């Protein structure tokens, strides 16, 4: 037998270890979140290009948008990330009560975030700040509303999906489906939730503060 | 069979030159690769008792056939940069170019000439539909606009093509090498009538062009071309607001305005 | 389909509980059934796309000639074809939908939907995909997208007529094209299809990373799997950008936002940048898997290891990376900053190199081989020959000054068809004939396959090669009636020639369709490994493989291309064969 064939065979024995050492659902969620990164990049990229091309069509921070209100909302969402971590830490120790409590807390805070966002939309549109051609002539052009509502709206949609997933987890938690050894759904929903939180911090910075 | 149309702009030959260079390079590669492929197809086709040669490859060969196409591509790229910037860089638009506005809309080209006041963009502009008249003794800069969708300004014989994009003003310059009538076409799908969005580009001699201006009631006749003239001396300069006025008059040898003096 | 599948599966069904018909063939979670479902759907769309091309070619051969009415004109409403004359509105729709359907509903699902689904688990030794349910949803989402895109032909105003690239503002306002509902259906269908592709991509990536059999290291993966893996990454990252752009355009049309409305600050070039930022990776999505299949078929057909396997993998990965920074070369004449154009030219020249490497490696694989010209091999070799032409013509349009003249002419049409038809579609024909025995347990008829191949090769070249000349002469793309331009009237005869070649090319595909259907029912029984190939789908699973693919998880001992190894008993050496000698082989399928 040639040394080459021997090497081939040895390789076969040595190289049995494949995979990332991460379970499929978690890896799948990471992969999915990569595509989400690209989706928000396209929206934010579009915003940056449009704003760069027409700086006069965008109001200065705080002129149109209610920054303190949204800063509070941002704080809420960050809190919900903390409660999500606590829920996950709870079930990792097998603590069902903590899991339920913190999951409910996360879902409720998520809903509060959406509530504030809806309130903000109503306020803004009441002042004539709408996403369409009719909208917001006062500040020059509707481009501002167009990009604002599209970006924050798609983020809100992602929060809504997260809230639905969280309530689903709550129901399953009450059925006792999650244990210290088996709680993948909690972990990947947490990943998603933190991602949505992170996207918001970026959006808040570039839409409200800059 | 079709081949490149007659070349009638000053830079058409340079574009065609790169075209032929690429044609030769790719032609040789094409012939060699296809010949080798055919050779292998016949030489190594299965016959009783033939055994394939066992090999996983050869790093040296691999490096060679990575380097050769890389070098050729770099060569083509480097040779393309000069003409590209000469044609497209706004700083290279000849300072004494005669300025015309060209506005596209579904499905026509409207060329504007300065009226008696000598300025473009004023009420007395003379507008010609689907006809562009230009002087043959000097460069022309056409400022492209679109009123509706994207169109593409295409002069096959001049090797000129540039999209007209709504909301943008895009200057295109060229200089004819002979007088005559040439094709004007739209090269970008622009709607149902895209197919009939053609016209004519007419190149006049200097005298004919002045006569034409006069017959149309358009702006002041053009004087003799002064290649090294400063920006202030050019009659229609300030009128073409779209051409940056601070651009250099002549940029070394890259600018054809120094190469082609008036006849 | 159902009948054959019943035959095929009945012999191998090892399930303890027989799932219902609906679960097994319609809402199946088996990656193989899903792959086959994609196959039937995309072959249907391939036919629709071909017929649309034939309609265009009729118009180009006999532009608005009342003495030459479109055959079958009576089938079309008067808003499309009037008194046998194709109306410009319908012509523009046909142009748009030929491109859209061929790229998104035929070639892309054929390469990825069919073969990523079918091959990846089999080639890496996995029982199924990581997420079978998601996989099923991926197909049915694509199916819904297909229904929506077909619905566009039947609505008032006709289907989208803004070109497959959907440049705004033409596509943004019905005022410009007269198309309203069709345009929105186009956008919705593409968004829905994007979700399908995303679900697929998440699945393929997770499966390849996590579910490889023991011993299946990265550098032992067959090249189709490698190519499909990188393709999945491109899909994962490119599709969301298109989705973002589609949503912006859809919002502009429906709720009145102004992303692309110039009067209120919108930017037409933003669409082009977003579209091509997606669109250029898309070009590689449409060719990388084809390159993978061709590598596999040429290696097996030459009885030789792939020449420079590592270089092939590197080239695929390199294309996957560089593909992200070349999108601007579609926009040289768009009014983009010329300096930016120059940078895009440089990156474009760089990306030509990995494609060249792959071509030379295919030649290297054939060098001193033992070439068996069965139908798949013919297609694979033709792929190399045609891809060379498509690749080289790309160099012309990559050079910015030359592109000034050639942009938006038939030269580009010739180029894209040499890559997508001469390239991708030949690889697809090769791959279908190559893996057909595995999919259906029957061989495709070899004589019919060869007749189909030679006629396709002939008529393909007769159709598309002269288009280079049309382009060099300056003929614009997407022109309804070229005789409107005096300088193009000289090509009347050539147009007729091209059109009849195209009609014969379309007609030739009937042979393939017949062979496909005939072989499904009457084809010769396929052995497990008819091509004497090494990869796991041939060496560890019967034809067709049962639910779950492998009786035991195979162990992999070597790379997939150990053909004609001096130590092996036979001229192939299965990836999963332990020890140093190949097992006694079953007879190869005689061509």
């Amino acid at each position: 037998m040639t040394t080459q064939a021997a090497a081939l065979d040895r390789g076969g024995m040595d190289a049995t270890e494949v995979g990332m050492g991460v379970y499929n659902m978690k890896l799948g969620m990471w992969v999915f979140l990569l595509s989400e990164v690209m989706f928000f990049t396209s929206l934010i990229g579009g915003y940056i290009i449009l704003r760069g091309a027409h700086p006069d069509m965008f109001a200065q921070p705080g002129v149109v948008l209610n920054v303190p209100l949204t800063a509070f909302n941002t704080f809420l969402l960050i809190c919900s990330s903390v409660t999500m971590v606590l829920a996950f830490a709870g079930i990792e120790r097998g603590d069902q009560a903590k899991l339920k409590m913190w999951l409910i807390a996360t879902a409720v805070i998520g809903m509060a975030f959406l509530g504030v966002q809806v309130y903000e939309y109503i306020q803004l549109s009441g002042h004539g700040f709408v996403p369409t051609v009719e909208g917001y002539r006062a500040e020059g052009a509707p481009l501002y509303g167009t990009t604002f509502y599209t970006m924050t709206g798609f983020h809100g949609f992602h929060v809504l999906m997260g809230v639905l997933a969280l309530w689903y987890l709550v129901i399953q938690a009450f059925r006792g489906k999650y244990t210290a050894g088996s709680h993948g759904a909690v972990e990947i929903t947490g990943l998603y939730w933190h991602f949505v939180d992170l996207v918001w911090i970026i959006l808040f910075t570039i839409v409200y503060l800059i | 069979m079709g081949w490149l149309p007659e070349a009638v702009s000053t830079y058409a030959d340079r574009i065609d030159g790169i075209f032929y260079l690429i044609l030769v390079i790719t032609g040789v590669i094409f012939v060699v690769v296809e010949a080798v492929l055919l050779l292998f197809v016949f030489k190594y086709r299965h016959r009783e008792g033939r055994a394939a040669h066992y090999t996983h490859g050869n790093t040296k060969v691999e490096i060679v056939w990575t380097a050769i196409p890389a070098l050729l591509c770099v060569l083509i790229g480097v040779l393309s940069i000069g003409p590209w910037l000469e044609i497209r860089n706004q700083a290279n638009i000849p300072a004494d170019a005669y300025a015309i506005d060209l506005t596209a809309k579904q499905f026509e080209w409207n060329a504007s000439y300065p009226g008696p006041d000598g300025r473009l963009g004023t009420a007395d502009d003379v507008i010609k539909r689907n006809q562009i008249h230009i002087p043959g003794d000097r460069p022309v800069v056409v400022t492209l606009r679109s009123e509706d969708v994207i169109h593409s300004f295409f002069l096959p014989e001049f090797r000129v093509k540039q999209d007209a994009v709504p909301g943008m003003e895009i200057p295109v310059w060229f200089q004819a090498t002979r007088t005559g009538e040439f094709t004007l076409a739209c090269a970008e799908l622009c709607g149902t009538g895209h197919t009939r969005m053609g016209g004519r580009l007419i190149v006049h001699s200097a005298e004919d062009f002045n006569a034409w201006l006069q017959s149309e009631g358009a702006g002041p006749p053009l004087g003799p071309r002064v290649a090294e003239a400063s920006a202030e001396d050019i009659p229609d300069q300030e009128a073409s607001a779209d051409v940056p006025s601070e651009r250099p008059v002549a940029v070394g040898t890259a600018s054809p305005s120094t190469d082609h003096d008036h006849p | 389909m159902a009948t054959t599948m019943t035959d095929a599966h009945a012999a191998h069904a090892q399930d303890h509980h027989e799932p219902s018909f609906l679960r097994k063939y319609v809402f199946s979670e088996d990656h193989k059934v899903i792959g086959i479902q994609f196959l039937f759907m995309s072959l249907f769309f391939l036919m629709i796309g071909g017929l649309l091309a034939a309609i265009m070619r009729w118009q180009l051969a006999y532009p608005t000639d009342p003495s030459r009415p479109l055959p079958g004109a009576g089938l079309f409403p008067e808003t499309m074809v009037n008194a046998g004359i194709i109306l410009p509105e319908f012509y523009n729709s046909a142009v748009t939908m030929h491109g859209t359907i061929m790229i998104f509903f035929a070639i892309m699902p054929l390469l990825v939907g069919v073969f990523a689904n079918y091959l990846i688990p089999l080639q890496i030794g996995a029982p199924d995909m990581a997420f079978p349910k998601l996989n099923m949803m991926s197909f049915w989402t694509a199916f819904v997208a297909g229904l929506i895109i077909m619905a566009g032909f039947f609505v008032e105003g006709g289907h989208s007529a803004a070109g497959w690239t959907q440049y705004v503002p033409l596509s943004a306002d019905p005022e410009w094209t007269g198309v309203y509902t069709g345009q929105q259906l186009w956008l919705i269908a593409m968004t829905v299809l994007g979700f399908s592709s995303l679900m697929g991509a998440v699945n393929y990536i997770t499966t390849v990373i996590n579910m490889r059999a023991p011993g299946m290291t990265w550098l032992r993966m067959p090249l189709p799997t490698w190519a499909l893996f990188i393709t999945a990454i491109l899909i994962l990252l490119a599709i969301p950008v298109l989705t973002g752009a589609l949503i912006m355009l859809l919002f502009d049309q429906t709720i009145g936002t102004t992303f692309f409305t110039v009067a209120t600050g919108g930017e037409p070039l933003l669409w082009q940048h977003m579209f091509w930022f997606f669109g250029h990776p898309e070009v590689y999505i449409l060719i990388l898997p084809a390159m993978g299949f061709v590598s596999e078929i040429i290696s097996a057909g030459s009885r030789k290891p792939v020449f420079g396997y590592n270089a092939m993998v590197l080239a695929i990965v390199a294309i996957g990376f560089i593909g992200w920074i070349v999108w601007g070369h579609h926009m040289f004449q768009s009014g983009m900053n010329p300096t930016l154009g120059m940078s895009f030219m440089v990156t474009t020249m760089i990306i030509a190199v990995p494609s060249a490497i792959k071509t030379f490696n295919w030649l290297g694989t054939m060098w001193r081989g033992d070439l068996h010209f069965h139908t798949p091999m013919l297609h694979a070799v033709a792929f190399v020959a045609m891809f060379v032409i498509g690749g080289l013509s790309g160099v012309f349009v990559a050079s910015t000054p030359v592109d000034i003249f050639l942009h938006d002419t038939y030269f580009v049409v010739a180029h894209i068809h040499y890559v997508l038809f001469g390239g991708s579609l030949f690889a697809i024909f090769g791959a279908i004939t190559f893996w057909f025995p595995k999919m259906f347990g029957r061989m495709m008829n070899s004589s019919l396959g060869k007749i189909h191949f030679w006629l396709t090769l002939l008529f393909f070249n007769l159709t598309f090669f002269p288009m280079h000349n049309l382009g060099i002469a300056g003929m614009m793309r997407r022109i309804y009636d070229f005789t409107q331009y005096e300088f193009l009237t000289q090509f009347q005869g050539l147009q007729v020639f091209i059109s009849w070649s195209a009609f014969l090319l379309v007609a030739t595909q009937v042979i393939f369709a017949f062979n496909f259907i005939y072989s499904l029912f009457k084809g010769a029984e396929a052995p497990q490994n008819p091509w004497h190939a090494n990869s796991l789908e041939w060496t560890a699973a019967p034809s067709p493989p049962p639910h779950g693919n492998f009786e035991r998880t195979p162990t992999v001992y070597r790379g997939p291309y150990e053909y004609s190894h001096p130590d092996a008993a036979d001229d192939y050496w299965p990836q999963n064969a332990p020890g140093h000698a190949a097992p006694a082989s079953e007879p190869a399928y005689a061509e």
Side-chain angles (χ1 to χ4, degrees), chain C residues 441-488:
Chain C
R442 291 177 187 277
M443 305 301 297
M444 281 183 86
N445 184 291
S446 164
S447 309
L448 285 175
K450 284 176 179 165
I451 294 171
H452 166 251
F453 165 77
W454 285 111
L455 291 178
T456 303
L457 184 69
L458 174 71
F459 293 130
F460 165 75
N461 280 293
L462 294 181
T463 303
F464 292 105
F465 203 86
M467 288 189 189
H468 290 112
N469 289 80
L470 292 178
I472 289 169
M475 176 168 168
M476 295 77 75
R477 307 158 65 181
R478 297 168 169 177
I479 281 282
Y480 165 71
D481 180 1
F482 68 94
T483 57
Q484 301 257 344
Y485 287 95
E486 202 188 304
F487 78 113
L488 295 175

Side-chain angles (χ1 to χ4, degrees), chain C residues 272-510:
Chain C
Q272 292 185 28
H273 278 292
M274 291 183 80
F275 185 87
W276 288 117
F277 186 78
F278 144 81
H280 206 79
E282 171 73 16
V283 170
Y284 292 104
I285 290 168
L286 296 170
I287 197 71
L288 281 181
M291 291 172 161
F293 306 155
V294 163
S295 306
E296 185 88 359
I297 295 169
I298 288 190
S299 180
S302 305
R303 315 311 296 159
K304 261 192 79 198
V306 165
F307 197 91
Y309 171 91
N310 290 357
M312 290 295 236
V313 171
L314 255 173
I316 295 173
V317 175
I319 289 174
F321 273 101
I322 311 171
W324 291 98
I325 50 168
V326 299
W327 81 88
H329 68 214
H330 297 269
M331 298 170 60
F332 287 151
Q333 320 312 333
S334 69
M336 183 176 71
N337 182 325
T339 318
L340 207 56
M342 197 173 78
S343 328
F344 279 120
M345 172 171 66
V346 173
T347 53
T348 303
M349 290 295 178
I350 293 170
I351 207 170
V353 177
S355 297
I357 296 174
K358 295 192 79 76
T359 306
F360 296 133
N361 275 315
W362 288 317
L363 290 179
T365 308
M366 291 168 67
W367 169 69
R368 294 183 66 185
D370 174 23
L371 274 52
H372 291 64
F373 285 103
H374 39 59
T375 318
M377 181 69 169
L378 288 172
H379 281 287
V381 173
F383 169 97
V384 178
M386 298 298 105
F387 181 74
V388 167
I389 301 177
L392 291 175
S393 63
V395 178
F396 289 81
V397 279
S399 164
T400 43
V402 179
D403 184 65
I404 293 177
F405 180 62
L406 293 179
H407 183 77
D408 272 332
T409 65
Y410 264 72
F411 193 87
V412 178
V413 179
H415 166 67
I416 196 179
H417 284 93
Y418 266 89
V419 177
L420 280 187
F421 193 142
S424 306
L425 205 53
F426 271 91
I428 287 167
F429 285 136
I432 290 176
T433 27
F434 192 72
W435 278 288
F436 189 93
K438 189 52 61 180
M439 288 178 169
F440 302 108
R442 291 177 187 277
M443 305 301 297
M444 281 183 86
N445 184 291
S446 164
S447 309
L448 285 175
K450 284 176 179 165
I451 294 171
H452 166 251
F453 165 77
W454 285 111
L455 291 178
T456 303
L457 184 69
L458 174 71
F459 293 130
F460 165 75
N461 280 293
L462 294 181
T463 303
F464 292 105
F465 203 86
M467 288 189 189
H468 290 112
N469 289 80
L470 292 178
I472 289 169
M475 176 168 168
M476 295 77 75
R477 307 158 65 181
R478 297 168 169 177
I479 281 282
Y480 165 71
D481 180 1
F482 68 94
T483 57
Q484 301 257 344
Y485 287 95
E486 202 188 304
F487 78 113
L488 295 175
T489 48
Q490 54 171 316
F491 297 115
Q492 179 72 61
L494 188 61
Q495 295 282 15
V496 172
F497 176 80
I498 291 176
S499 287
W500 280 97
S501 304
F503 301 149
L504 291 170
L505 180 61
V506 171
T508 302
Q509 305 319 307
V510 175

Side-chain angles (χ1 to χ4, degrees), chain B residues 1-5 14-16 18-20 22-27 29-30 33-34 36-37 40-42 44-47 50-58 61-62 65-67 69-70 72-74 76-81 83-85 87-90 106-107 147-150 152 154-157 159-168 170 183-200, chain C residues 88-89 92 96 161-163 167-170 175-177 262 268-269 272 302-309 311 332-336 338-339 341-342 345-346 349-350 352-353 356-357 359-361 363-364 366-373 381 384-386 388-389 392 395-396 399-409 411 466 469 472-474 476-482 484-487 491 494 561-566:
Chain B
M1 296 293 259
W3 205 244
L4 289 170
R14 299 192 60 184
I15 291 179
D16 292 0
I18 299 174
F19 173 86
Y20 285 115
I22 298 176
L23 187 67
V24 168
I25 292 176
T26 56
I29 297 174
F30 169 74
V33 171
E34 303 286 358
V36 168
L37 185 71
F40 287 1
V41 162
F42 286 103
Y44 300 120
R45 61 187 309 139
H46 174 68
R47 283 191 218 102
R50 176 192 294 286
H53 172 64
Y54 178 80
T55 171
H56 276 280
N58 181 325
V61 176
E62 224 47 85
W65 69 39
T66 305
L72 288 174
C73 284
V74 167
I76 294 170
V78 166
L79 289 174
S80 298
I81 288 175
W84 170 251
L85 291 181
I87 296 166
R88 277 296 159 80
N89 198 340
Q90 297 201 13
Q106 285 184 334
F107 299 96
E147 285 182 12
D148 39 41
V149 301
I150 296 176
S152 194
F154 183 28
L155 303 172
E157 289 100 335
R159 312 290 186 267
V160 166
K161 190 181 286 124
Q162 172 63 59
D163 287 2
V165 184
M168 289 176 82
I170 306 169
T183 304
L184 160 67
C186 177
E188 183 74 61
L189 177 64
C190 60
T192 311
H194 168 53
T195 189
R196 54 188 156 83
M197 196 167 160
R200 306 301 288 166
Chain C
E89 293 86 348
N92 285 351
T96 305
Y167 277 10
V168 296
L170 186 65
E175 188 189 334
W176 311 130
T177 53
V262 179
L269 287 195
Q272 292 185 28
S302 305
R303 315 311 296 159
K304 261 192 79 198
V306 165
F307 197 91
Y309 171 91
F332 287 151
Q333 320 312 333
S334 69
M336 183 176 71
T339 318
M342 197 173 78
M345 172 171 66
V346 173
M349 290 295 178
I350 293 170
V353 177
I357 296 174
T359 306
F360 296 133
N361 275 315
L363 290 179
M366 291 168 67
W367 169 69
R368 294 183 66 185
D370 174 23
L371 274 52
H372 291 64
F373 285 103
V381 173
V384 178
M386 298 298 105
V388 167
I389 301 177
L392 291 175
V395 178
F396 289 81
S399 164
T400 43
V402 179
D403 184 65
I404 293 177
F405 180 62
L406 293 179
H407 183 77
D408 272 332
T409 65
F411 193 87
N469 289 80
I472 289 169
M476 295 77 75
R477 307 158 65 181
R478 297 168 169 177
I479 281 282
Y480 165 71
D481 180 1
F482 68 94
Q484 301 257 344
Y485 287 95
E486 202 188 304
F487 78 113
F491 297 115
L494 188 61
Y561 302 114
E562 292 300 318
Y563 294 104
S564 305
H565 190 285

Side-chain angles (χ1 to χ4, degrees), chain C residues 524-539:
Chain C
E525 196 88 21
Q528 177 177 321
N529 189 359
W531 318 112
H532 282 181
N534 288 332
S535 48
L536 296 177
E537 79 269 33
W538 302 111
T539 59

